Amino acid sequence: MGRFLLRRLLHGIIVLWVVATATFGLLRALPGGPFDRDRRLPPEVMANIEAKYHLDETLLKQYVRYVAGILRGDLGPSYKYIDRNVADIILDTLPTSTVLGLLALLSALACSFPLGVAAASHHNRWIDRLCVFLATVGISLPNFVLGAVLIWIFSLQLGWFQAARWGAPGSAVLPAITLGAMPCAQLTYLLRSSLLETLGEDFIRTARAKGVSESLVLFKHAARNSLIPVLTLLGPLLAILVAGSFVVEYVFAIPGMGRFFITAVTDRDYPLIMGVTLVYTAILVCANLLVDVLYSVVDPRMRSR
Amino acid sequence: MTSALRKHGRWLVPLFLFAIFSGCNPSSGRRDETVFRVNLSTEPPSLDWSLATDHVSFNVIANLMVGLTEFDKNLKPVPVIAKSWDILEGGKKIVFHLRDDVAWSDGKKVRAHDFEYSWKRLLNPKTASEYAYSLFDIVGAEEFNRGTIADESQVGVKAIDDSTLEVLLKSPTSYFLSLTTFEVTYPQRRDVVEKFGSQWTEPEHIVTNGPFLLASWKHENEIQLKANPNYFLGKPAIERVEMYMINETTTALTMYEQGQLDFIDDHSIPALEKPRLAKAPGFKHVPQLRGEYYGFAMDRKPFDDPRVRKAFAMAIDRSVFPRLLQGGQAPSSSWIPPGMLAHNPKIGVPYNPPEARRLLREAGYPDGKGFPQVTFVYNTREDHKTAAEAVQGMWKRNLGVLVRLENLEWKVYLKRLQNDPPHVFRAGWGADYPDPDNFMKLFITGSGNNHPRYKNGRFDQLVEQAARELNEQKRVRVYNEAQKLLCEVDIPIVPLFTIAESTVLNPRYTGLEYNSMSRLLLRDVRLKNK
């Protein structure tokens, strides 16, 4: 297990380096620089700005400076948020994104588990069809549409929640539901089909033949064996939910990290884009590692592989 | 685990729902009348007025600080910290006399030295301020910023004593007093800036002198201001201001309609909602000193022919824009916007399709026949697209020419304008200070913002002459001549309209000033019945 973890960790570091290098190269290839404005700056003013941010150096020098900065834990200054460092911005905003992502994951799990089990245990009956319908809606509806619909119903019409203002009572409800809807639908589908497959296996028939009650068959024997594909999805889902919530953060004005991803690209704020990308990558690497560890807990056969 | 789930599962869903729904009614709390809530839309990139460049930052700074002068209702600079000024040596020297009752938020007196420090900090190459160039009319300023002189005492700004500031200009500069209204020229405290470095604008460090104080700044979330009890022009009626950062217009509008915001502007109103909101109490269109134009690449065929440019200008019916765009746009054929000295609506090329067709025929393209493929580029935005499609239709209908439209992402578009201007492009310009120089200098030869690459020595000479002329009537005459060259004779650009901002103020309040340069000024806001 120790060697396995070490190997995965090394892989993770290589992935981070490749992503950092690729992002650096791609950003410099994009047309338009961070200080291009609709009112073009006089050359001397531009030269001062470029000198301040070392943009007057060669690309290689900038790259070396950037990688050395990462190794020191310094992600550089933001070009847009002039008085702040990228690391400060990420430290300020990542906890909010994490809370939102975890709430969304919890709501997705809380809804998908009963829906998936109900659908599989009532296969081809109206409950199954209803669950599949709900899951289809959850997958097809983009979260910016769902967010807007929820704001219209629950904020504007019913007045139950504020449309924004993270931190106010109940402020997490609509964003968590919006962000959790698609993962909930995916998990429901997956759990349903996985359960259906497991319920058709020999050991389930044996259990039923031995007179084990249907609920015990479902929750003890079938559910545990059906969790492995769900776990496979859980790793990337966790990473996507924590890091990929930028649309939801934008719609509900949540002070999370995702909001920066869109605006930083538009502003060509190189250090901020690279910092946010690296954090996303690190989260994805960690989530996948966590899933691998969980695999071996759920299915001990995995440990020997 | 499964048995526990089985045993308690039935309680999990209601428990979860209770946990997330508890305390959720947003309108149950009692409204605090002393708090005024506005939406900034985004996090201000900087509250350091030497480094700020955007309207969000300036909207916060404008409520925290005052400078030497401010605009009156007619956009004329009037004294604030400066109680008077003397213009000497034919306009090459200005001496400001400062009030002695203006205090910083920590109780110290605002001194002329604070202006000298701030202006020299703005110009210092190490500060790398984008707006350093706004003081380039001062003796030695440009050289200091470029690094050719290192001694800042050679820059022509000096505090003679605590209440006298002397400014030496390279030549008489008619708009210089307007520049002193601009936030980047506000005073700063050397001791505070040097002690806290880039953190000096955080609430626990910043010192200010305006109507409000910076009470808190939760980054990306909320800024709170509180009334400054020692503000030298009197404490504001509103005790506290909450400034939110809600980027999504639909969300912001919902917040206003829920009663969670007291004022919203264009950045909080979806375009499609404007016609509905126009009927709401408290709605206003506030005309801005910002013009929209289409430019021609004058060094590219077929737009190197003035007859073609004039034909294209004459084929545009500007009257459709207010109806199409629904934002209070005011059609304009001249370039200097209404509300500014030398605005002259009589200048410009009117809508005249028969004359446009005649000119195009004369240029060798009867009914558009043989006209080469040309591209019209605009940056991605719904209203730009709407306007571009409408004009494309007019050119097709009136000239028989089908122009290809191309939209580009903002920074890509800017790069294209700078390096390889397309045949036709859209652009806009907003005032930093309300003087025609700000608009006319754009098109002098060699200006970095002269995207049509217009070159006319007479035009350059007129713009320079107007900048140095201190007599207003004479300036107007000179600008009239220059505008005729720009909009009637050479036509590197076709001015289309000036824009307006849609704003909605909760009708319970009054006294809010949203000026023609998108500044949100809150010091006179109060409840209507108080």
Side-chain angles (χ1 to χ4, degrees):
Chain A
M1 188 73 169
R3 280 186 62 188
F4 164 77
L5 279 177
L6 198 68
R7 203 171 60 237
R8 293 303 307 269
L9 213 63
L10 272 174
H11 280 175
I13 290 168
I14 293 169
V15 167
L16 279 171
W17 173 70
V18 170
V19 168
T21 308
T23 315
F24 182 90
L26 286 171
L27 282 175
R28 294 313 198 277
L30 269 183
F35 299 101
D36 284 339
R37 305 273 189 249
D38 50 354
R39 47 199 67 203
R40 200 171 182 188
L41 298 171
E44 54 268 58
V45 171
M46 199 65 178
N48 292 334
I49 294 169
E50 288 181 343
K52 180 178 176 179
Y53 294 110
H54 307 287
L55 291 167
D56 52 351
E57 294 175 350
T58 61
L59 272 186
L60 182 68
K61 225 170 169 182
Q62 288 182 47
Y63 174 73
V64 171
R65 184 185 289 281
Y66 176 62
V67 174
I70 295 175
L71 294 176
R72 287 195 312 271
D74 175 12
L75 295 172
S78 163
Y79 293 165
K80 180 168 183 192
Y81 302 96
I82 298 165
D83 314 323
R84 302 179 70 203
N85 284 321
V86 172
D88 293 340
I89 291 174
I90 289 174
L91 284 174
D92 273 357
T93 53
L94 185 60
T96 305
S97 293
T98 308
V99 169
L100 175 64
L102 287 175
L103 280 173
L105 186 68
L106 274 178
S107 66
L109 284 172
C111 295
S112 64
F113 197 75
L115 284 175
V117 171
S121 58
H122 296 82
H123 185 46
N124 276 340
R125 306 218 314 255
W126 71 268
I127 292 182
D128 183 24
R129 286 191 197 105
L130 180 68
C131 293
V132 169
F133 171 75
L134 288 174
T136 311
V137 171
I139 283 177
S140 347
L141 214 58
N143 51 17
F144 63 90
V145 175
L146 181 62
V149 170
L150 290 180
I151 286 175
W152 186 76
I153 297 172
F154 294 103
S155 299
L156 200 55
Q157 300 302 316
L158 299 173
W160 288 3
F161 301 105
Q162 287 192 13
R165 304 285 330 277
W166 182 256
S171 61
V173 178
L174 299 184
I177 293 173
T178 308
L179 189 58
M182 191 178 285
C184 172
Q186 288 171 328
L187 287 169
T188 303
Y189 262 131
L190 199 65
L191 195 64
R192 175 183 174 272
S193 55
S194 178
L195 265 174
L196 284 175
E197 200 182 315
T198 313
L199 287 170
E201 294 210 9
D202 289 346
F203 74 96
I204 296 289
R205 267 200 296 277
T206 310
R208 278 178 177 151
K210 277 162 58 181
V212 177
S213 73
E214 192 54 33
S215 56
L216 212 59
V217 166
L218 201 63
F219 286 107
K220 188 173 178 188
H221 298 281
R224 182 174 175 135
N225 283 286
S226 308
L227 278 178
I228 288 173
V230 174
L231 278 180
T232 315
L233 187 63
L234 222 52
L237 259 190
L238 181 69
I240 288 166
L241 287 177
V242 171
S245 53
F246 49 83
V247 174
V248 175
E249 287 179 8
Y250 189 83
V251 170
F252 290 96
I254 295 167
M257 195 175 66
R259 283 215 293 183
F260 287 105
F261 202 63
I262 306 172
T263 51
V265 174
T266 316
D267 297 325
R268 306 284 193 274
D269 192 342
Y270 302 149
L272 190 53
I273 302 167
M274 291 193 284
V276 173
T277 309
L278 277 182
V279 171
Y280 282 178
T281 313
I283 292 171
L284 194 63
V285 166
C286 293
N288 282 334
L289 190 65
L290 188 71
V291 169
D292 286 343
V293 173
L294 281 177
Y295 268 156
S296 57
V297 174
V298 175
D299 186 353
R301 284 173 302 177
M302 299 277 185
R303 277 178 228 162
S304 55
R305 287 186 191 174
Chain B
M1 185 186 136
T2 47
S3 63
L5 187 71
R6 198 170 59 240
K7 206 185 284 179
H8 304 297
R10 76 186 75 161
W11 299 109
L12 281 182
V13 173
L15 247 176
F16 180 72
L17 288 176
F18 174 77
I20 59 176
F21 276 76
S22 57
C24 63
N25 188 349
S27 37
S28 57
R30 212 172 152 267
R31 172 85 174 84
D32 186 350
E33 304 288 3
T34 60
V35 182
F36 190 75
R37 297 151 311 167
V38 299
N39 182 26
L40 291 176
S41 4
T42 63
E43 162 90 352
S46 176
L47 292 189
D48 180 340
W49 42 99
S50 291
L51 296 173
T53 57
D54 64 296
H55 86 279
V56 175
S57 303
F58 286 137
N59 270 342
V60 182
I61 293 164
N63 288 291
L64 295 173
M65 284 295 298
V66 286
L68 287 172
T69 61
E70 66 179 12
F71 293 121
D72 66 4
K73 301 281 178 205
N74 300 316
L75 295 175
K76 291 257 187 285
V78 292
V80 186
I81 295 180
K83 61 182 178 196
S84 63
W85 50 80
D86 302 319
I87 298 177
L88 309 166
E89 297 174 17
K92 287 176 78 172
K93 182 172 172 181
I94 304 180
V95 177
F96 292 95
H97 304 285
L98 273 54
R99 294 172 66 130
D100 55 10
D101 57 346
V102 186
W104 290 102
S105 47
D106 62 356
K108 290 187 180 169
K109 214 172 90 172
V110 174
R111 303 171 315 148
H113 298 86
D114 301 328
F115 283 94
E116 182 186 340
Y117 169 69
S118 169
W119 291 19
K120 286 180 174 169
R121 181 171 177 254
L122 183 80
L123 290 166
N124 193 320
K126 284 188 186 142
T127 310
S129 169
E130 290 191 29
Y131 272 119
Y133 67 86
S134 57
L135 294 183
F136 277 5
D137 290 302
I138 295 176
V139 167
E142 193 170 352
E143 293 80 359
F144 180 50
N145 187 251
R146 196 185 295 137
T148 48
I149 59 170
D151 178 9
E152 64 174 40
S153 68
Q154 290 182 43
V155 177
V157 54
K158 193 177 173 192
I160 304 295
D161 54 43
D162 278 1
S163 56
T164 313
L165 184 74
E166 181 188 89
V167 181
L168 301 176
L169 300 172
K170 286 183 211 164
S171 48
T173 308
S174 51
Y175 50 83
F176 193 81
L177 283 175
S178 289
L179 278 174
T180 60
T181 63
F182 192 15
E183 286 85 351
V184 299
T185 65
Y186 288 176
Q188 275 171 0
R189 281 270 295 279
R190 181 192 288 270
D191 55 338
V192 176
V193 175
E194 288 183 353
K195 185 174 177 191
F196 298 108
S198 66
Q199 296 298 299
W200 80 269
T201 52
E202 290 297 319
E204 60 273 27
H205 305 142
I206 196 169
V207 288
T208 53
N209 65 12
F212 292 95
L213 306 171
L214 183 63
S216 70
W217 184 2
K218 291 182 202 157
H219 290 287
E220 292 88 37
N221 199 4
E222 182 189 312
I223 282 177
Q224 288 209 11
L225 310 182
K226 63 180 178 192
N228 179 0
N230 302 318
Y231 180 50
F232 68 105
L233 294 175
K235 188 185 167 194
I238 291 294
E239 281 291 338
R240 208 149 50 87
V241 177
E242 290 180 359
M243 301 174 139
Y244 307 150
M245 298 159 201
I246 302 156
N247 219 323
E248 222 284 318
T249 51
T250 314
T251 309
L253 179 60
T254 306
M255 294 276 289
Y256 177 80
E257 298 198 320
Q258 267 191 323
Q260 307 292 324
L261 282 170
D262 298 308
F263 173 79
I264 49 174
D265 61 20
D266 240 35
H267 306 276
S268 303
I269 304 174
L272 288 173
E273 295 285 356
K274 282 182 187 171
R276 178 176 72 83
L277 279 176
K279 294 171 197 132
F283 180 88
K284 237 184 187 179
H285 278 310
V286 185
Q288 297 293 296
L289 296 176
R290 185 174 177 83
E292 187 85 0
Y293 68 90
Y294 287 168
F296 301 110
M298 293 181 72
D299 50 2
R300 296 184 66 176
K301 278 191 179 307
F303 293 104
D304 54 348
D305 185 336
R307 290 168 300 186
V308 174
R309 297 196 296 270
K310 195 164 188 176
F312 270 62
M314 281 189 155
I316 298 175
D317 178 7
R318 297 174 181 86
S319 68
V320 303
F321 295 119
R323 185 174 46 80
L324 267 181
L325 304 174
Q326 299 279 346
Q329 289 79 6
S332 173
S333 59
S334 58
W335 178 230
I336 296 172
M340 199 177 257
L341 180 86
H343 165 66
N344 187 342
K346 289 178 189 150
I347 292 175
V349 173
Y351 179 52
N352 188 345
E355 177 63 7
R357 275 192 292 274
R358 190 192 66 75
L359 280 166
L360 201 67
R361 190 167 53 243
E362 206 179 289
Y365 309 106
D367 296 325
K369 285 188 188 82
F371 201 81
Q373 170 88 54
V374 294
T375 307
F376 173 20
V377 176
Y378 60 94
N379 60 301
T380 312
R381 230 177 81 164
E382 202 48 48
D383 52 348
H384 298 336
K385 182 171 180 268
T386 308
E389 285 172 352
V391 173
Q392 183 194 38
M394 292 175 203
W395 285 335
K396 177 80 185 106
R397 199 167 50 249
N398 296 330
L399 302 173
V401 173
L402 182 63
V403 170
R404 194 175 74 88
L405 298 185
E406 184 183 344
N407 69 319
L408 295 174
E409 187 260 354
W410 178 234
K411 295 271 181 178
V412 180
Y413 165 81
L414 288 177
K415 204 77 206 164
R416 177 91 180 266
L417 282 192
Q418 285 162 16
N419 297 341
D420 175 30
H423 295 102
V424 193
F425 55 88
R426 80 139 288 277
W429 190 261
D432 290 325
Y433 50 94
D435 190 277
D437 179 77
N438 208 225
F439 275 69
M440 297 297 277
K441 218 176 230 166
L442 224 62
F443 299 110
I444 59 170
T445 308
S447 153
N449 297 299
N450 181 356
H451 303 304
R453 297 174 179 172
Y454 174 48
K455 282 180 199 162
N456 182 331
R458 177 67 185 150
F459 178 83
D460 297 352
Q461 191 194 344
L462 288 169
V463 173
E464 180 65 20
Q465 186 186 334
R468 304 299 158 221
E469 177 58 64
L470 301 181
N471 180 304
E472 279 196 359
Q473 283 173 334
K474 284 185 188 162
R475 283 191 86 201
V476 171
R477 281 202 293 276
V478 176
Y479 278 133
N480 277 345
E481 191 186 335
Q483 272 212 97
K484 278 183 182 165
L485 284 178
L486 188 75
C487 306
E488 290 179 5
V489 180
D490 296 330
I491 317 184
I493 61 163
V494 190
L496 297 178
F497 52 83
T498 50
I499 70 153
E501 287 250 5
S502 304
T503 64
V504 197
L505 173 69
N506 184 330
R508 290 186 310 161
Y509 290 96
T510 183
L512 181 137
E513 196 199 330
Y514 192 91
N515 74 16
S516 55
M517 285 182 298
S518 312
R519 290 293 190 277
L520 174 65
L521 303 171
L522 302 170
R523 70 178 176 214
D524 295 327
V525 172
R526 61 190 185 280
L527 281 165
K528 257 185 188 160
N529 54 2
K530 291 198 176 168

